[in-house]
Each structure stands twice: as C-alpha cells, then as structure tokens.
Amino acid sequence: MTIPTIISAHDARTQAREIRPGKHGNVVFYELLDPYGSQPLHRTFLARRSAGSVPVPPGIERLPAAGEAIVSPRLRQIMATNSGAKGLVPGRVIGLISPEGLGGPDDLFAYIGTTPDRIPDALPLGSFGIDHPWHPVIEPSTLDILRFTLACVVLLPLVIFLSVCARLSGESRARRLAALRLVGLSVKDTVRVNAAETVAAAGLGAVLGLTGYLGVNEIMARVGLPGLRWYPADGYPEWSTVVVCLVGCPALAWVVGLFSARRAALSPIAVRRTAEPRPPRKFGTLLLVPGLGVIIGYCVMSVMGRDPSGGSASSTLVPGAVLLTGAGLVFGLAPVTAWLARKLAETSRALPLTLAMRRTEVDPGSSLRVATGLVLLVFGASLTQGVLIELDQVSRRSAPLQEYQISLRHVSPAQRMAVAQVPGVRDHVVSYESWDDLSGEIRPTVTAIVATCAQLETLTERTTGCLDGRIQQLHDDRAAYWDDPAPGTRFPFELQNGQKTSITVPADRVSTHPYDISVFRSGSLLVPPSMVPKGLAPGAGNLTLVSDADAETVRGVLDGVGAVVPTAEVEAVGIAVEALAQLTVVRGLLGVGMVLGLVVGVAAFVVSVADRALERRGQVAALALLGARGGTLRVVQVVQVVVPLGVGLGGAVVAGWLAESSYLITGGGAVHWDWEGLPLLVGSAAGVLVVAGLASVPMVRRHVDPEHIRRD
C-alpha cells in the first residue's frame, strides 16, 4: 500500500524542481536529458544575464556561477570513480544537491553554471515548480495498471489468508462455542466471544506488522529495487494506510468471526453431534459466466481477425471480467469440488480414494480454505505475464534488432574498437552524411553506409540483389515516403582537411526491407569498405551498433557503452531511455508483488492444511481404530488436498491465460497470444500441486488419542 506513496513522493520532488520559463528573467537556462548507460542524466545549464534576485530550486542554496556546478551525490560518486564522466559536468563542483531537490538517491542531476554566449538556444528562467511532473517514475496509465495487477496478485490472496486465519481450528472452536451456548450463554454473547478473540489476535498482528514494516523499509530503502531507490521517509505509511491496517484488519476479523460463529450459536446441538453440513451454494459459480463470457468474446474476435483494441469499453470490461472470473474461481471451487468428489466416489474401487472423496463431498469448504490462495496466485501470475509483455511492447520497437547511434566526433579509434566489443553487440557499421553548407537553402543529402553485403543481409529483414565490390543504392518499396536520388547525381562529402570529395549515385539498386527506423533506409548508398574515400571528416559520421532488442540486452549494451565513452551522446534508435527505466521499475515492483503473493499464498496453504489436520484428528483416530493403515490415511490426506487444488489450479491456468490474452488483445500490441508463457504457467501449477501433496503427508499421524474419539 505504500508503493503509490513512494512514487508520489519521488514525483513531487522532481515536479518542484522543474523549470517554468519566464518572459524577462535575468537568468537563462538550457536543459539536456541524455542516457548515461541505461539511466537518464539530467543537466541544467544556467547563465546569469543581468543582476538581480533569482529563484532557487529546492535542494541547493544558490545558483552556480559560471564555471561552477552543483551535482547529485550519485553523479558525484560516478565522477569520482570514472574520470571520463567528468566531461559530462564542465566546471568545478562546489556542492551537492540535498534530498529535497532529488527524486531518489540514484538520481543523476546537475546544475551547471555557464555564460549566455555558450547556450544560444536558452530560455529565460521564470520560476521552479509545475503542476504535473514531466518525468514521472511511472506514467499514470501504467501506474493504474500496476495498482490493479498488484491488487490481484497481493490483496486478493491476502484477503483469503486473513479469512483462513480467522477460521483457525474452526471445528474445535465451534464445539467450544456450542458448549458455551448450551450452558446458557446467549446467541449474541456467544458470537461476541468468538469475534473478540479474533479481533484481539488481529489487532496485535497489525501492530507487529506495522512495526516490522518500518524496519524492513529502512533496509529496503538503502538496498532498493531494480531501477528504484527511495529515501526511508518516502516509505513511511500515510495515516490512511495506518488506519486501514490497525482498524481494517481487526474489522475484517470481527466480520469473519461473527460469520464463523453463527452456526455454533444457532445450532449448538448439531455442532456437538457433528451434524451433516449443508451442501455448498452454487450461486458463486455463476460469476464465471459473465467473466469468462467477456474474456472469451475478445479472444474469439481476435481469432476472427477483428481488432477490438482501444476505446473506453474494453478498458472497463476487461478489468471487470478479470475480477468476476477471479471471484468465480474462489466461490465456485467448493460446489465444483463437491460434485467431482461425489462422481469419483461413486465410480472408485480404491479405499483411499473413496474415503477422501466422501469426506470432500461432505465438507468441501475445507478444500476452499486450502486451495484458494494458491489458485489466486496462479491466476494473478498469468495477468502479470500479460502486463509485462504489453509494457515491453510499448517501451521498445517491435523489430528483433536494436540500433544505437554515436557520433564519430565523440569517439576515438580506440574507443570505437572498444564499444564494438561490448557484450551484446552483434555488429557495427559506420555511416557518413553528405556535406551541407547550412545556408538555409533546401539541399538534398544522402547517407553513405560503409558495410558489406553480408552485414546488410544480417542486419535487415530481407535483402536481394546485393553484389560485393561495388557501390549500390538501397531501395525499399514498402517505405511510405521515399525519394531516392537519381543515378548519376554527385554528392559532396567533407574531408578532415576541410576539402571535399564526392560519391556518385550508381544505377545499381539493392532491394531491401530494413527494420522499422534503421540506418539502412531507402535512398542510402551502400559503400564497400575497400571503396571508402580516405580521410572523411568524423564530424559527419556516425557509428551504429546493433544488438538484440530484448530489454536486458539493451540495458547491458547501454551500460557497456557508457563505461567506455561516458561523455558521448548515445541514441537508442526507436526507444526512449525513460521508458526503459520505467519498465525496469515496473518489473521490480511486480516481482516484489509476486514474492509477497507467493508468501501469502503459501502461508494460507500451510495454515489451512495444519488446521484441517487438527480438525480431522477425531476422524483419523476413528479410522485407525477400525484398522486403517498409516499409509492409507496419508494417501487419503494427500488426495483430499490434491484433487480440489488440482481442479482450482486447472481452472486458474485456463482462465488466467484467456484473461491474459484478452488483455493483450485489447492493448493493441503485436502479441495477442502468450504461447511462450503457457508452459511456464502450467509448470508452475504442476510444481505447486506436487509441493502441496508432499506437504500434506506429515499432517497425518496414526497415534490414537482417546480425547479425540470419546464423544464419537
């Protein structure tokens, strides 16, 4: 619940330092946002134009003068350990930005003092602070998706866990409450006794939980998550969160305590004599009808070739359908399990299976407590996969290759060789732009790409007709707008000595289909390395690196290039470094959510299995007296856990995968069906089933205690 608070605190501080341009300011500014590795680096150049008072951003006491700089602690640390990074901040560092002016401890930010003549495109400084952050940690639309996913992954299993804990030792407690009712305690007082016991335990647990969280927050704030670190004060829970924890948890325990004690208070004789419980109601299963109906409807539309993405209807229907499907899996598990147990018991010829299924048929509610948390966890895991796939599509281009462009004037020949050896880089090419006198007159230009035919075929989607040893013109017939230069046209290229050389457009054409946004665009010239004019000016050239397009490789390449040439401006073609950083944060938060959901789900399973073992001591003792072997009793226990859990997990895998597909379909991305994630989901469900079965074995002991059977 404090994740939005942490993000809000970060955005509030970055929002307060954003510059609002003025009209007649006596200070001008110029801002740069560049990648340093895979992190965004913010630099604000400030120059005093006239005397007078000036506004000061939060985190510093005064604006730096010309030749001075004030940097964030993280940037100062990088400058101290990496001599090449000093070129990023010209001038003498006179101080550090305090936390009030930084989004977080890892923020790379600098205020650099200079003179007006060095920033001709500067704007007059008005004030600091804007209404909405320009560079949020997570975009608002993505944050809404994150909140919904975390609610499904964490809060729903948490509610189940609290409900399970509130009904611990339900049978023995019910017999005790029924005894109180039989000796004269009123219905209202009997219910209050149970609720008060539950509230006392829940209140103590809430206090311990908050205290433990404050300690964990101090540690996690310093360790951080991938892409996100925060100050400990950012993680302090708001008063609303404290109220929810200290009041909401006991209130939920009170409600569950009232509900769980009503049977003992209203029918104490039935409880003491272990009357047969009523069969579970089937109304909860009906929630699956509208939920799966909407989800399957979108999947069918995708199969039919129709695109239902976009619009406000899908943004409302899909989350609603997901919630209804999750609720249907929870409330429909008991009646479905009871029906299946009855059918298996009627056809079974094996004693352990018959005993297990008859017990499950009589009391399917116990299976609900055992399986629900893990079922919701698997269902939420499928949704998490869909969210990550959708965000990954948004934050990067769909091509399988990623290009990075660096100006040759920023890298030496030795550095050029070093960046080409960065892990993850598959290939590299050099390109030069033809000379332009920058007179303002529209003058056609051309790009000369130094590469071989083998490189062209490897780094493009399709290439035909390429011949080595000659200059050829690239042509893409799929381009929306192409104006290839006419054969015979001569284009000048600048040399290092200031003179010009020219390259003539050949008549030979190479038909190529480059990936979207690529240096190999239509109209460019493919020049073999042996035919490149000597002494071309580096200022007109670019080094293009190529790697795979998955997010981990992109981050690794950016970090590797940043370590070799920290002062060079690296353009990751087709992606924004901020979007990549946001994806890292979202992955980290969803990973934390999955871990929390796993802990809660496993805790609910362990608690409920142990509780069922306590409740069934009387039946186990009776079966042991009748001659049942220890192995038979253990098989019965395992089957009682595995069958309802298997039914629930099977439904969770199918429903979760369909829900994930409907989310991807309505998201409008290129991926609609997550076939790669399905085996992982099935394998996880199978692993959960095996572990649950093994964990159930030690819960049965053959020791006979007369206290457990004397009333039976």
Side-chain angles (χ1 to χ4, degrees):
M1 293 176 67
T2 56
I3 288 174
T5 305
I6 293 172
I7 295 176
S8 177
H10 181 286
D11 291 343
R13 289 192 296 270
T14 58
Q15 180 178 331
R17 75 185 181 195
E18 296 288 357
I19 300 179
R20 190 192 300 271
K23 293 183 179 179
H24 306 288
N26 51 12
V27 174
V28 293
F29 73 96
Y30 181 70
E31 293 183 295
L32 282 178
L33 176 61
D34 301 312
Y36 182 82
S38 59
Q39 294 178 274
L41 169 63
H42 301 256
R43 289 178 291 175
T44 301
F45 293 85
L46 301 162
R48 183 177 290 273
R49 193 167 54 183
S50 60
S53 62
V54 295
V56 178
I60 63 176
E61 297 181 356
R62 67 175 180 89
L63 296 182
E68 297 178 343
I70 303 176
V71 301
S72 64
R74 178 58 178 162
L75 183 56
R76 178 63 180 270
Q77 181 182 358
I78 291 176
M79 294 171 61
T81 57
N82 191 337
S83 58
K86 294 180 180 179
L88 295 170
V89 184
R92 180 172 56 90
V93 177
I94 63 170
L96 299 177
I97 305 174
S98 65
E100 290 77 10
L102 299 174
D106 285 339
D107 207 354
L108 302 181
F109 202 92
Y111 295 103
I112 304 171
T114 184
T115 56
D117 59 306
R118 294 181 177 271
I119 45 176
D121 298 330
L123 297 173
L125 174 63
S127 61
F128 291 92
I130 58 176
D131 297 332
H132 303 284
W134 288 348
H135 307 288
V137 178
I138 302 177
E139 292 292 336
S141 59
T142 305
L143 184 58
D144 293 337
I145 297 173
L146 179 65
R147 286 170 175 165
F148 177 76
T149 307
L150 287 177
C152 294
V153 175
V154 181
L155 293 185
L156 287 181
L158 181 62
V159 171
I160 300 300
F161 174 66
L162 294 177
S163 301
V164 168
C165 290
R167 297 187 62 182
L168 283 178
S169 303
E171 183 174 318
S172 59
R173 176 184 295 182
R175 294 174 66 87
R176 179 168 52 83
L177 294 174
L180 293 176
R181 179 76 180 91
L182 290 175
V183 298
L185 200 64
S186 65
V187 174
K188 182 180 296 186
D189 290 338
T190 303
V191 171
R192 286 177 176 175
V193 167
N194 183 60
E197 291 178 353
T198 309
V199 167
L204 177 60
V207 172
L208 293 176
L210 276 176
T211 305
Y213 166 76
L214 293 176
V216 172
N217 176 64
E218 295 291 331
I219 299 174
M220 288 300 300
R222 290 163 174 80
V223 175
L225 299 174
L228 178 65
R229 286 183 62 201
W230 62 94
Y231 298 107
D234 296 346
Y236 294 160
E238 296 179 342
W239 285 111
S240 58
T241 303
V242 175
V243 170
V244 169
C245 293
L246 296 182
V247 177
C249 291
L252 178 62
W254 175 270
V255 173
V256 176
L258 293 178
F259 176 78
S260 61
R262 289 189 63 83
R263 178 170 174 263
L266 297 176
S267 304
I269 296 294
V271 172
R272 297 296 296 180
R273 298 302 180 186
T274 60
E276 183 177 349
R278 290 180 298 178
R281 298 178 180 179
K282 302 178 182 179
F283 297 111
T285 313
L286 298 178
L287 295 175
L288 291 172
V289 176
L292 288 178
V294 172
I295 290 172
I296 294 176
Y298 279 116
C299 295
V300 171
M301 292 177 66
S302 177
V303 173
M304 295 173 60
R306 301 181 61 182
D307 183 14
S309 62
S312 57
S314 60
S315 62
T316 303
L317 286 176
V318 172
V322 169
L323 292 178
L324 289 175
T325 303
L329 289 174
V330 173
F331 295 110
L333 183 59
V336 171
T337 301
W339 174 83
L340 180 63
R342 183 171 64 255
K343 296 298 182 182
L344 290 176
E346 291 174 354
T347 58
S348 174
R349 294 294 182 267
L351 177 61
L353 181 60
T354 302
L355 287 175
M357 291 300 98
R358 288 303 184 189
R359 177 62 185 172
T360 303
E361 178 188 358
V362 171
D363 188 16
S366 60
S367 63
L368 180 69
R369 303 203 303 272
V370 172
T372 301
L374 298 178
V375 169
L376 286 178
L377 181 64
V378 173
F379 182 71
S382 61
L383 294 178
T384 304
Q385 287 186 163
V387 171
L388 291 176
I389 291 174
E390 186 67 21
L391 293 176
D392 191 47
Q393 293 182 95
V394 173
S395 62
R396 65 175 178 87
R397 59 183 194 164
S398 57
L401 298 180
Q402 176 63 51
E403 296 183 6
Y404 316 82
Q405 287 191 355
I406 310 172
S407 176
L408 288 179
R409 65 173 175 267
H410 293 156
V411 294
S412 64
Q415 289 175 327
R416 187 188 310 180
M417 296 179 60
V419 296
Q421 301 298 323
V422 168
V425 175
R426 294 178 54 175
D427 208 337
H428 67 283
V429 296
V430 176
S431 61
Y432 295 90
E433 295 291 331
S434 61
W435 177 76
D436 189 353
D437 59 4
L438 303 177
S439 61
E441 179 183 355
I442 299 178
R443 183 188 302 272
T445 59
V446 74
T447 302
I449 305 172
V450 182
T452 63
C453 289
Q455 287 179 304
L456 180 65
E457 294 174 358
T458 303
L459 304 180
T460 56
E461 189 174 353
R462 185 180 67 82
T463 295
T464 56
C466 184
L467 299 175
D468 286 316
R470 64 177 65 181
I471 299 176
Q472 297 174 289
Q473 182 183 169
L474 304 182
H475 175 72
D476 180 12
D477 55 8
R478 303 181 308 171
Y481 304 98
W482 52 269
D483 187 15
D484 297 346
T489 306
R490 298 174 64 86
F491 287 90
F493 287 82
E494 188 177 6
L495 298 176
Q496 294 180 2
N497 56 13
Q499 297 181 359
K500 308 291 186 299
T501 185
S502 61
I503 298 179
T504 304
V505 177
D508 294 341
R509 279 187 170 184
V510 178
S511 178
T512 181
H513 288 176
Y515 295 109
D516 188 25
I517 312 180
S518 174
V519 68
F520 299 100
R521 56 184 177 272
S522 184
S524 301
L525 303 181
L526 182 69
V527 181
S530 59
M531 301 182 66
V532 178
K534 295 183 179 180
L536 290 175
N542 289 309
L543 174 64
T544 300
L545 307 175
V546 183
S547 74
D548 293 334
D550 61 281
E552 295 297 332
T553 301
V554 171
R555 280 196 298 272
V557 170
L558 286 173
D559 288 336
V561 173
V564 176
V565 281
T567 59
E569 181 178 351
V570 183
E571 179 188 359
V573 179
I575 64 172
V577 176
E578 285 191 308
L580 194 64
Q582 287 191 22
L583 179 60
T584 304
V585 175
V586 172
R587 284 182 181 274
L589 293 177
L590 288 179
V592 171
M594 288 298 296
V595 172
L596 290 176
L598 178 63
V599 171
V600 172
V602 171
F605 168 77
V606 172
V607 168
S608 58
V609 168
D611 185 54
R612 283 187 76 242
L614 293 176
E615 288 183 351
R616 293 189 61 244
R617 288 180 301 181
Q619 289 84 7
V620 171
L623 291 173
L625 285 179
L626 291 174
R629 298 179 178 177
T632 301
L633 297 177
R634 292 185 177 88
V635 172
V636 170
Q637 173 72 5
V638 171
V639 172
Q640 282 183 276
V641 172
V642 168
V643 170
L645 185 58
V647 172
L649 291 178
V653 169
V654 175
W657 188 75
L658 291 175
E660 176 194 3
S661 300
S662 66
Y663 173 78
L664 294 174
I665 290 168
T666 55
V671 178
H672 285 185
W673 305 93
D674 181 22
W675 296 106
E676 295 181 0
L678 187 58
L680 176 63
L681 202 62
V682 174
S684 300
V688 169
L689 202 62
V690 172
V691 172
L694 294 177
S696 303
V697 175
M699 296 299 175
V700 175
R701 293 185 302 173
R702 202 164 175 268
H703 174 69
V704 178
D705 189 345
E707 178 64 23
H708 297 158
I709 63 172
R710 67 181 178 86
R711 293 181 181 84
D712 294 334

